[in-house]
Amino acid sequence: MYEKYSPRGVAFYLVYPDPDESPLVIEKHLKQYSYPFPGLRDPKHELVKLAEAKITPEAAVFDAKGKLLYRGRIDDRYLDFGKARLAPTVHDLEQALEAILADKPAPAAGGPAIGCFIADVK
């Protein structure tokens, strides 16, 4: 998605909400998976609250003014914990980006994100 949408002005970030994850661990993760975009450490859940995120992984799309335009799953690859399709059949985040870039409202996610709940900051 990065290669497809970054030339069209979409910025990508991975947000790390676990306050115990160090910058070194985050840097290692980004390198291990060859992510071509930065990671943001969010130990106080400021970005989590702004995005209204509840599950990781969950995507949030904001406009240039900071308005939340989409929040939801990336795609439908995971049916449940431990149950995945070989490939997704619905690409929710891509559909949202296409709509937003066409100046249309983003469609709602087609289902819930499957993952771990983001724990409250202690």
Side-chain angles (χ1 to χ4, degrees), residues 30 33 35 78 87 94 99 106 109 112:
L30 290 167
Y33 290 95
Y35 287 114
Y78 290 95
E94 284 192 62

Side-chain angles (χ1 to χ4, degrees), residues 11-115:
F12 288 82
Y13 301 93
L14 284 180
V15 176
Y16 294 84
D18 185 345
D20 294 330
E21 279 185 315
S22 71
L24 187 62
V25 169
I26 291 169
E27 183 179 330
K28 183 179 177 183
H29 181 255
L30 290 167
K31 284 182 182 177
Q32 180 180 3
Y33 290 95
S34 302
Y35 287 114
F37 44 86
L40 302 174
R41 192 167 177 263
D42 190 23
K44 295 181 181 178
H45 288 185
E46 293 164 346
L47 295 170
V48 168
K49 290 174 189 165
L50 189 63
E52 302 171 12
K54 307 282 185 242
I55 304 277
T56 180
E58 197 168 34
V61 179
F62 296 90
D63 68 12
K65 295 178 184 175
K67 180 181 176 188
L68 181 62
L69 303 175
Y70 173 82
R71 180 188 54 82
R73 68 184 187 181
I74 297 165
D75 58 40
D76 71 342
R77 181 172 180 168
Y78 290 95
L79 303 166
D80 203 345
F81 287 98
K83 293 182 182 179
R85 294 177 168 90
L86 292 176
T89 60
V90 178
H91 301 271
D92 303 78
L93 179 55
E94 284 192 62
Q95 291 173 358
L97 290 174
E98 287 294 337
I100 291 164
L101 290 170
D103 290 324
K104 296 178 182 174
I114 305 296

